[in-house]
Amino acid sequence: MLVDVAPPALHHVDPALRPDCFRKIRVNTSTLFSTLGMAALLAALCSTPASAAPGPVDPQRDSIADEIINSVRTAIGAGNCDAAVNLLKSGLKSGRPKVSLLAGSMYEQGLCVKRDWDTAVSFYALAADGGLNQGADRLAAGYADPVNGPDIAAALWWAQRGMSRLVIPYCPISDEALKDPDRFVAEIGTWEPARLATCNYVFAVSSMMTAELAYPELAAAFNIGAEVRYIFYPGKPAVEIEKSETQEYAMLGVIDGDALRYRNRKDKTGGFEKAVNDVAKRALARYPQPPGISPDAKVHLGMGFLIDHR
């Protein structure tokens, strides 16, 4: 992720050291603008079975997990939820983080299973613990959602463990607090309600966009990579494309002549911009904008869509 902001300043930070066990932090708030209470629950998610570790395979490039996921999605697309759930159960036995991420998404959305945010949390945490930062981003996005609470402390905690790992001076969190859930809750417990609401909103939109932006399938079929830079204006609110650059990759294997002929068409290369715009619309509709944010505030973000033939 490429990150900067004006105003206030936003910078990259080194990945926070994780605690020995991922913990779910729940803070009771009667409304989004209420005074932050102390932690009502610090439940350690340390009961991961031994099968949850698939080995040294990079979870981002786990081809076996991709096959499991594709089989589940195919069953869902065919309207066969029984098969989808059975395939998911079987795939989860392998302990692959990508499959846990899929399970979390299905439970969060209620897709072929009964919607259950607490169950989704467990699977997202397993995915994050297994090396998939998208799990942390989905936890941050979900905990910030009014439908699930919101739980601002948990949202901010997991946002610091996502792909971007942002730190904003307006939302100051010490390095020590990033390593200690109890200290983390104590620190943000001193914030005023308006600060909590603003920080929750900015991190929520950013985390959701990071979590849901995936390589557009249309462009992937033509081996086109891209770097898309976009600006989030939390005070408007709006997300605008700032810059989009594409790069063609060598097309491997048997190549369809139509693929070569049409790979540079706008509807192919523009798939990246469409992906950003589509996710942005959903993110802005999902989270209520708190009052008082300057219309000049902006967050510059970037997403790279790359192809790795290794």
Side-chain angles (χ1 to χ4, degrees):
M1 298 283 291
L2 306 173
V3 185
D4 58 66
V5 69
L10 189 67
H11 308 282
H12 269 306
V13 295
D14 293 331
L17 298 177
R18 295 181 176 180
D20 292 336
C21 302
F22 275 89
R23 293 175 181 174
K24 180 174 66 176
I25 305 172
R26 186 176 299 280
V27 173
N28 291 327
T29 51
S30 58
T31 69
L32 188 61
F33 309 105
S34 66
T35 301
L36 179 66
M38 286 297 96
L41 176 65
L42 286 175
L45 300 177
C46 303
S47 57
T48 305
S51 61
V57 177
D58 183 344
Q60 297 283 4
R61 302 187 181 92
D62 189 344
S63 59
I64 295 178
D66 289 338
E67 292 177 4
I68 296 171
I69 291 170
N70 288 336
S71 66
V72 174
R73 287 176 173 172
T74 298
I76 293 174
N80 192 341
C81 280
D82 288 340
V85 171
N86 288 332
L87 288 166
L88 180 66
K89 288 181 178 179
S90 177
L92 285 170
K93 293 178 181 178
S94 68
R96 289 181 145 76
K98 273 189 176 181
V99 182
S100 295
L101 189 72
L102 173 64
S105 180
M106 290 174 65
Y107 273 99
E108 183 180 6
Q109 299 176 42
L111 186 60
C112 280
V113 293
K114 184 178 179 180
R115 186 187 184 280
D116 188 328
W117 170 241
D118 288 336
T119 300
V121 165
S122 299
F123 283 119
Y124 284 152
L126 283 176
D129 197 22
L132 281 182
N133 297 113
Q134 295 98 314
D137 284 313
R138 288 187 180 275
L139 284 165
Y143 273 124
D145 193 334
V147 173
N148 300 321
D151 186 339
I152 297 176
L156 295 176
W157 171 266
W158 286 105
Q160 297 301 319
R161 283 149 179 78
M163 294 183 70
S164 57
R165 297 184 178 93
L166 309 182
V167 60
I168 302 177
Y170 183 68
C171 310
I173 302 171
S174 70
D175 291 340
E176 292 75 15
L178 290 174
K179 305 171 189 177
D180 183 349
D182 298 284
R183 183 162 180 169
F184 181 90
V185 172
E187 280 197 11
I188 65 174
T190 64
W191 294 2
E192 296 178 355
R195 185 186 299 269
L196 284 170
T198 297
C199 295
N200 181 69
Y201 179 67
V202 172
F203 279 114
V205 173
S206 300
S207 294
M208 178 175 169
M209 292 192 66
T210 300
E212 295 199 8
L213 279 172
Y215 197 96
E217 294 181 1
L218 186 62
F222 294 86
N223 267 25
I224 300 172
E227 179 182 314
V228 180
R229 299 179 183 179
Y230 53 98
I231 307 174
F232 171 37
Y233 296 90
K236 292 187 177 181
V239 174
E240 297 179 1
I241 300 295
E242 181 180 23
K243 188 176 183 181
S244 178
E245 296 179 348
T246 60
Q247 175 183 354
E248 293 183 5
Y249 291 82
M251 301 188 73
L252 306 180
V254 178
I255 302 174
D256 187 334
D258 288 338
L260 289 175
R261 187 176 306 122
Y262 297 118
R263 71 184 305 199
N264 288 321
R265 278 174 43 179
K266 180 63 178 177
D267 59 343
K268 305 300 185 296
T269 57
F272 305 100
E273 296 181 6
K274 183 179 185 302
V276 172
N277 286 326
D278 288 348
V279 175
K281 289 179 181 178
R282 295 199 302 274
L284 295 178
R286 182 180 187 183
Y287 304 105
Q289 180 201 29
I293 304 177
S294 169
D296 296 327
K298 56 184 177 181
V299 181
H300 292 260
L301 298 167
M303 179 64 68
F305 302 96
L306 307 176
I307 296 177
D308 190 341
H309 289 307
R310 289 183 293 173

